[in-house]
Amino acid sequence: WLAMGRASPRLVLVVVFVALLLDNMLLTAVVPIVPTFLYTTEYEGANSSLAPAQPEPMPAAWKAPSFSSMFSYFDNTTVIVSGSVNAVEVNRTESSHPAEPPSSPPAPSRGCLEGEEFLTKENVRVGLLFASKALVQLMVNPAVGLLTNRIGYHIPMFIGFTIMFLSTVMFAFSSTYTLLFTARALQGVGSSFSSVAGLGMLASVYTDDSERGSAMGIALGGLALGVLIGAPFGSIMYEFVGKSSPFLVLAFLALLDGALQLCILQPSKISPESTKATPVSTLLQDPYILVAAGALCFSNMGVAMLEPTLPIWMMQTMCSPQWQLGMAFLPASISYLIGTNLFGILANKMGRWLCSMIGMAVVGVSLLCVPLAQNIYGLIGPNGGLGFAIGMVDSSMMPIMAYLVDLRHTSVYGTVYAIADVAFCMGFAIGPSLGGAIVRAIGFPWLMVIIGVVNIAYAPLCLCLRSPPAREEKMVSL
């Protein structure tokens, strides 16, 4: 059965699906957890440590009994002294009661959070933390693409699982910003191995262009399902069980994924590509590959900017409880799941260039509508449209990458999917880091206007992908 399974493209698709699912569950599970966790540990923790400092000056007032006992020399009565002590005690206890509520910020479910300045600064810090994964992945991707050309896809896939497991366990037990930042960066290394090797493996086992498009749509459905489950799963588990619980569950699921890879992929097997791959520098000079990579980058940059900034904006303007911070991304995740599976098949029939052009225009319009929401229900339409449109772009651009290599270069896919993943990661690296700074400077609504207009302006460039020409040497071989 294992021998048959190893020869089956469908089981390879299952392995890639599960790897992308777990990677993106971890990617989005931290989105609602990190802002509230940092607020609780740093802002509330700092204020609670300052709370005892407010009664500290009381000993100076507490010296009143000693003063009143000296005053008792004039009164020559012990009754007044004891009465003055009791009065001081009463005054002290009465004055201590109103001092307590300001020292502890109100719970998020009862009203808006305090610390407006802290939350504004936190936009930048949370944005950098989220961007660290994509930045690391951006740097590691080219090396992984070259590695897959030399030793095949199986060993890099298993390396990706191992690093992902370590990152998940580290998230579970990290209690400071520095450790969370390190865990997020480590996830970027594991994600680079899993995504580049997984997509390259799919492109190599599905040689027919139509079948490849459907397989890519299903694999991206795993990515979508991870995004779908991750944010609500993380926020609900954090609210009702604790910070470590969602990451421990993901670590257990990662172990199951490792067992599946051991059975099907034989990660000890070295299988280099039979033909020499086109150099990355040559692929980066191809304008059609750059247009496709730009579409992936800018469409995903919109949701990447939302991840760190939307929860904090909801905490400030909607007074949202913790569980709503993750649920706000649910419409985008559901519609992305529908969009990738639907247009994995339809995009080939209607034209992938047209599908991606419409998708980018809808991304822009949806982002412009996000700041108009007054509560979480107002986010359903814009976020739903955003997820559906990004699904249209991703399910169109991923197969186009392989098609462009087949048409214009050597049919080896590790390097081109390294470029695709670099484009994807640039969106998730530039988006959060730049988004947090823009929100701090001019506000959340203007951030949405800027990235929305950029997507609408880029959409017409997808016309270039309508009928890309083949290179002359490829024309001869074809």
Side-chain angles (χ1 to χ4, degrees), residues 243-290:
K243 183 185 82 75
S244 300
S245 55
F247 302 113
L248 293 176
V249 172
L250 288 175
F252 176 73
L253 293 176
L255 284 177
L256 296 181
D257 175 51
L260 187 65
Q261 290 191 28
L262 281 173
C263 292
I264 295 174
L265 295 186
Q266 290 180 289
S268 60
K269 181 181 177 183
I270 296 178
S271 52
E273 293 287 350
S274 56
T275 56
K276 187 178 180 181
T278 306
V280 177
S281 57
T282 305
L283 294 178
L284 288 174
Q285 293 171 11
D286 190 324
Y288 299 97
I289 289 178
L290 291 179

